Amino acid sequence: MNAIPFSPDRGMAAVELGTIVNGLSVDVEDWFHVGAFEDVIERGDWSGLADRVDRNVREILDLFDETEAKATFFTLGWVAQRHGSLLREVADRGHEIASHGWDHRRVYTMDRASFGEDLAKARRAIEDATGVSPTGYRAPSFSIDQRTPWAFMELAEQGYTYSSSVAPVAHDHYGWSDAPRFAFRPLPWAQLVEIPVTTAMFARRRLAAGGGGFFRVLPYGFSRWAIRQVNRRDERPAVFYFHPWEIDPGQPRVSGAPLKSRLRHYTNLEHMAPKLRQLIREFAWGRMDLIAYREAVRLEAELAADKVPA
Ligand SMILES: [Zn+2]
């Protein structure tokens, strides 16, 4: 496995090798970048809107320090270009900076050439801000699915070692419902590993259980049950994500968006930080590059044993 550029002790303070470490991730975007508001807020107006990402990410960094958690920050190039010192601080405090694309365009709305440009533009902004090249990618709104067979090829060609861009579930805004639930190699010729966001099984149905609105809106017990199921029954790592605006009850309110979007966006913002603390304390967490490394080793071993991955 020499080809995988990772040292397993990086970013792993309190977690022993052998325990299941779950992937902790933050999608770094501001309140006005979210897909739910894209019909109400023009991209051209973004620069004039109240910037909340700096204060929110700093609050998250303090929360992670307090709970000794290390995480991956999937960052928009648009944000990286404007917040270089913030990104350097994220990296200095032991976290991974990865790419969330340039300006939150869903992958299935692009063709391969424009996706390639989006990736390259985001990479340049992150490199200029931090001096580090991202090796991980998360598609905006988990928008890699059966419509984008070229997306993994483009990621592999641009040197990414992992992606966490698939939601293997049926959902009203996204989802690739028959994708594998756990890490897989989408291309036989490349090292690239896709690590889908977590789902749990209930009555033979897949339930979205990897964070975002579900974590915020549903009782904490649901997430505990789901992650335990994945760790104990499936013996696999869970992948959890949230956004900086989700811990920010003081963000400006968008009035023109559909009621369903507003309900989903604004529910329980004030309870998010204590809920996150509980989640981080109850399970073992690490950066996504660690999860990718471990999953790549596992897939290699399965391949060697000629076993079909689950
Ligand atoms: Zn996003």
Side-chain angles (χ1 to χ4, degrees):
M1 300 306 298
N2 306 340
I4 298 169
F6 185 81
S7 90
D9 54 354
R10 196 167 86 206
M12 289 299 301
V15 184
E16 289 176 28
L17 288 169
T19 55
I20 291 186
V21 178
N22 301 292
L24 183 59
S25 60
V26 185
D27 291 358
V28 182
E29 60 202 47
D30 220 325
W31 57 275
F32 48 83
H33 291 126
V34 301
F37 296 152
E38 71 187 350
D39 294 332
V40 192
I41 303 172
E42 299 279 337
R43 278 188 166 73
D45 294 337
W46 285 357
S47 297
L49 297 171
D51 190 310
R52 307 284 294 179
V53 81
D54 196 278
R55 68 174 294 289
N56 292 337
V57 168
R58 288 180 197 281
E59 194 177 322
I60 291 166
L61 287 174
D62 290 344
L63 192 152
F64 285 171
D65 278 356
E66 179 197 318
T67 50
E68 294 183 38
K70 296 291 182 249
T72 292
F73 288 69
F74 291 102
T75 305
L76 285 183
W78 193 95
V79 171
Q81 192 180 52
R82 288 160 176 80
H83 292 283
S85 70
L86 178 69
L87 258 64
R88 285 189 291 282
E89 174 146 5
V90 171
D92 287 347
R93 285 161 83 163
H95 306 288
E96 178 191 8
I97 308 278
S99 173
H100 195 36
W102 172 251
D103 65 352
H104 221 262
R105 265 169 235 270
R106 291 182 175 88
V107 178
Y108 58 70
T109 67
M110 296 186 267
D111 59 15
R112 181 170 176 176
S114 43
F115 176 55
E117 285 163 24
D118 182 281
L119 275 180
K121 201 172 170 189
R123 170 189 291 282
R124 274 195 302 276
I126 290 169
E127 285 172 351
D128 289 349
T130 63
V132 177
S133 261
T135 62
Y137 172 75
R138 170 164 294 148
S141 309
F142 298 101
S143 53
I144 289 183
D145 60 23
Q146 64 279 8
R147 289 169 285 184
T148 59
W150 36 262
F152 290 125
M153 287 186 254
E154 191 60 35
L155 284 165
E157 279 186 13
Q158 293 206 21
Y160 287 87
T161 55
Y162 78 91
S163 153
S164 179
S165 303
V166 167
V169 67
H171 180 275
D172 56 353
H173 291 295
Y174 55 75
W176 180 1
S177 57
D178 55 357
R181 289 181 59 220
F182 297 110
F184 62 99
R185 272 206 180 142
L187 307 165
W189 45 267
Q191 291 281 350
L192 181 75
V193 175
E194 166 62 36
I195 313 165
V197 66
T198 288
T199 54
M201 295 302 292
F202 184 75
R204 304 175 74 184
R205 286 190 55 200
R206 295 178 178 186
L207 305 179
F214 294 96
F215 178 74
R216 204 160 23 85
V217 173
L218 298 176
Y220 175 76
F222 170 76
S223 295
R224 174 197 281 139
W225 164 81
I227 295 172
R228 275 189 186 161
Q229 183 192 83
V230 167
N231 285 175
R232 292 179 184 176
R233 198 182 74 187
D234 302 312
E235 299 182 335
R236 301 300 286 265
V239 172
F240 182 83
Y241 75 99
F242 68 101
H243 306 90
W245 56 264
E246 290 189 274
I247 59 152
D248 181 12
Q251 67 189 279
R253 293 299 194 262
V254 179
S255 54
L259 180 64
K260 194 176 169 190
S261 304
R262 279 184 283 137
L263 283 177
R264 199 177 272 174
H265 190 92
Y266 297 122
T267 300
N268 290 339
L269 296 174
E270 66 283 7
H271 302 306
M272 187 66 175
K275 224 168 169 180
L276 280 170
R277 244 177 229 112
Q278 188 174 0
L279 180 80
I280 292 170
R281 292 211 164 106
E282 192 160 348
F283 296 93
W285 298 97
R287 294 160 44 141
M288 290 295 296
D289 54 359
L290 173 80
I291 313 307
Y293 173 82
R294 289 185 162 196
E295 292 294 279
V297 170
R298 168 197 286 270
L299 289 168
E300 194 89 338
E302 281 178 351
L303 206 65
D306 200 27
K307 257 170 45 184
V308 180

